[in-house]
Amino acid sequence: MPPTHGAFAEFSHTYAALPERFHVRVPPTPVAAPALIAFNDDLASEIGVDRSQLSDASLAAICAGNSVPEGALPLAMAYAGHQFGSFVPQLGDGRALLIGEVVDLQGKRRDLQWKGAGPTPFSRRGDGRAALGPVLREYLVSEAMHALGLPTTRALSAATTGESVLREGGPLPGGVLIRVAASHVRIGTFEFFAARGDVDAVRALADYAIARHYPQLRDDPDRYFALFEAVAERQSSLIARWMEIGFIHGVMNTDNMTISGETIDFGPCAFMDEYDPATVYSFIDRRGRYAYGNQPDILQWNLARLAETLLPLIDADPGQAIERATASLHGVPARFDRHWLAGFRRKLGLGVCVDEGGDRALVTGLLAVMQAEAADFTSTFRALAGAATDDTALPGAFLDWTHRWRERLAREPGGIASGIATMRRTNPVYIPRNHRIEEIIAAAVQDGDFGPFHTLHTVLARPFALQPDRDPYRTPPLPHERVQNTFCGT
Ligand code: AMP
Ligand code: MG
């Protein structure tokens, strides 16, 4: 008989040690027939999760929330948030449960969390469950983001439940994801306590965030202001990186913005096909609040919500606190722009050393042609490496721009060759294209076929290298394949 309940991970629990009002202990609700779809062995070994002592059935049971691994302490975290601009004083983990924390091989503390493991006191009218489609989307897109080199939560496992969930369109197969995060502390976590006037809790949370994510600030006498600036810096860098790969988060509510600076919550997210800053895929975002081109503005808006929660900690004098926070917030666009320009310069093959005055105009000039031509974002940037030496690598409309850019590229210290190498490292061949995601979800949901999911996952694991026989994963959608909306699945 194989052991059914061996060690899974060495759990510890710093969040559970915070005061009671931060969380609610709640066990996962078992599902009818747990079965494993995917288990991320690479990530597991990185974070010290060991499946070797578990039978397949025990592993599936843990991944679906049917069994609580030894040493875990499941809990739902309290948080609030601004959703599409309106404040909701209580959200919280309505369908997610912190399993516990592990310390990874680098000594970094990581959260393990079930998503879809049943109702909690924060579920409101929701069922606490996730549909299989969104579980697969989150698995693929978060892992693709990681392979692209962006800070992101990861996916440890995906499981089916043998149960259906009821959504607007009718019943859908259910799924459970285990995700791994640097932590699940969000701007909305600060807002939860600030809205209740609970300054002690805000301070405890800020100290927690500093200890976990910004330990270098621990002894800083001005550490709460420094915390704000550190989060502003990481989030500015993150959103700039989203822009560089054409990523649209879709629901940049303050409860979906981490203090760690990781991308979190892959709901109606999408990668842009043809370049247009007004692109929005999420059907719940009717007014385009979270359109591609609005993401930098929302970054600043969300950081303003965080700053508000920290005011009493920044200075005992409210006037002083507001003045300092406001000045820092006004610096966010410049902060973002530094990352944005550096990132897009790299995409053009320009190194980090010499930033010529005309480089910004080169970037915006290219984007203007792309928009006018409705050019595919990812393919156009990928084609640049070829266009450095070949006039036919891009359509004729790009030729004038290409010639200007080549003159600039030739002035790079390493010349054109090093520019080409930079571009091949920076501009991916493969992104999780919407039509491919929809395709793998349809195969899984309609036919129970997970083959396409696994193939797409394999392709996306190496986004920068051209892979033989993988053209269908590289090319933009044909007109009939275009995806208009992505689905939230909540
Ligand atoms: P999200 O849109 O996934 O960021 O979730 C926003 C809020 O709705 C969070 O408080 C979630 O926990 C909650 N929520 C989303 N889906 C469900 C569900 N199926 N059951 C219960 N709560 C949910
Ligand atoms: Mg969320």
Side-chain angles (χ1 to χ4, degrees):
M1 273 281 285
T4 54
H5 208 84
F8 179 66
E10 191 75 40
F11 286 111
S12 46
H13 307 283
T14 61
Y15 205 81
L18 286 168
E20 248 172 50
R21 54 201 191 283
F22 282 70
H23 43 68
V24 183
R25 296 271 294 274
V26 31
T29 307
V31 297
L36 203 56
I37 305 162
F39 188 82
N40 192 338
D41 284 304
D42 289 346
L43 176 61
S45 41
E46 183 185 317
I47 64 174
V49 163
D50 178 17
R51 68 186 274 185
S52 66
Q53 294 182 51
L54 298 171
S55 67
D56 288 353
S58 306
L59 183 65
I62 288 175
C63 292
N66 274 37
S67 117
V68 175
E70 220 173 276
L73 205 69
L75 62 81
M77 290 168 63
Y79 57 85
H82 277 84
Q83 298 191 307
F84 292 91
S86 309
F87 186 59
V88 184
Q90 180 163 314
L91 290 165
D93 287 332
R95 57 160 170 177
L97 287 173
L98 184 63
I99 305 171
E101 300 150 21
V102 294
V103 177
D104 71 14
L105 296 184
Q106 261 93 53
K108 267 185 61 188
R109 183 169 292 277
R110 317 269 288 262
D111 281 3
L112 267 65
Q113 193 193 58
W114 282 299
K115 199 166 168 183
T120 79
F122 301 116
S123 297
R124 293 170 293 166
R125 281 185 301 267
D127 57 6
R129 294 298 185 189
L132 177 59
V135 164
L136 297 178
R137 178 185 284 109
E138 174 153 354
Y139 195 109
L140 284 175
V141 180
S142 65
E143 286 301 302
M145 293 288 266
H146 171 73
L148 288 163
L150 276 81
T152 177
T153 65
R154 306 278 310 269
L156 180 64
S157 66
T160 50
T161 61
E163 293 178 3
S164 325
V165 296
L166 205 55
R167 294 293 179 265
E168 299 96 271
L172 292 170
V176 180
L177 182 84
I178 293 183
R179 76 174 164 198
V180 176
S183 89
H184 287 86
V185 179
R186 310 140 191 272
I187 292 180
T189 321
F190 282 86
E191 290 178 286
F192 180 86
F193 297 109
R196 286 158 178 77
D198 190 346
V199 179
D200 288 343
V202 175
R203 186 178 297 106
L205 184 62
D207 287 335
Y208 182 86
I210 288 170
R212 190 153 172 189
H213 301 302
Y214 305 95
Q216 71 280 11
L217 305 180
R218 208 180 323 215
D219 300 319
D220 188 332
D222 198 17
R223 61 185 167 280
Y224 301 118
F225 182 72
L227 169 65
F228 174 74
E229 296 229 295
V231 176
E233 178 60 19
R234 280 201 200 162
Q235 282 291 345
S236 298
S237 163
L238 178 68
I239 309 307
R241 307 229 39 210
W242 289 359
M243 302 303 277
E244 287 160 40
I245 55 166
F247 179 72
I248 304 168
H249 182 281
V251 210
M252 276 178 83
N253 293 334
T254 55
D255 53 304
N256 291 337
M257 199 175 250
T258 57
I259 297 303
S260 68
E262 282 183 346
T263 310
I264 196 170
D265 263 16
F266 299 83
C269 60
F271 281 70
M272 185 164 51
D273 292 308
E274 53 198 53
Y275 177 66
D276 178 357
T279 306
V280 37
Y281 291 100
S282 164
F283 75 111
I284 49 174
D285 190 7
R286 291 207 179 78
R287 294 153 100 181
R289 178 181 171 91
Y290 299 139
Y292 172 81
N294 274 356
Q295 295 183 131
D297 287 346
I298 296 295
L299 159 74
Q300 188 185 25
W301 196 91
N302 287 353
L303 288 171
R305 306 289 79 74
L306 174 63
E308 285 164 0
T309 71
L310 295 172
L311 287 176
L313 308 186
I314 289 175
D315 201 301
D317 172 355
Q320 271 292 318
I322 289 175
E323 199 170 301
R324 296 190 70 200
T326 306
S328 182
L329 274 168
H330 283 156
V332 168
R335 231 181 241 287
F336 166 80
D337 188 69
R338 266 198 303 280
H339 291 289
W340 182 89
L341 186 58
F344 276 87
R345 286 182 73 254
R346 269 194 303 275
K347 288 177 80 68
L348 299 194
L350 306 177
V352 281
C353 309
V354 224
D355 189 356
E356 289 190 12
D359 290 354
R360 176 187 303 277
L362 266 183
V363 174
T364 54
L366 174 61
L367 293 173
V369 184
M370 284 167 63
Q371 189 172 0
E373 297 297 304
D376 183 77
F377 185 85
T378 305
S379 311
T380 304
F381 276 106
R382 184 65 189 189
L384 285 182
T389 52
D390 173 3
D391 276 353
T392 64
L394 283 169
F398 289 88
L399 206 53
D400 280 350
W401 179 87
T402 304
H403 288 162
R404 271 185 284 136
W405 165 63
R406 278 186 202 157
E407 284 172 26
R408 169 67 185 88
L409 202 54
R411 287 198 297 277
E412 276 294 289
I416 289 196
S418 93
I420 288 175
T422 303
M423 286 184 269
R424 296 225 159 103
R425 274 196 314 270
T426 314
N427 298 316
V429 188
Y430 306 100
I431 50 153
R433 296 214 179 246
N434 307 328
H435 64 298
R436 295 291 164 230
I437 300 264
E438 293 304 323
E439 198 175 73
I440 70 96
I441 290 177
V445 168
Q446 286 156 29
D447 311 326
D449 178 6
F450 294 98
F453 164 83
H454 290 296
T455 307
L456 183 54
H457 179 245
T458 307
V459 173
L460 295 173
R462 290 187 297 120
F464 295 105
L466 201 58
Q467 300 169 36
D469 308 320
R470 299 300 198 196
D471 271 3
Y473 297 93
R474 182 174 58 80
T475 45
L478 298 168
H480 71 275
E481 294 175 320
R482 291 170 61 96
V483 173
Q484 307 299 337
N485 287 318
T486 53
F487 297 97
C488 188
T490 54

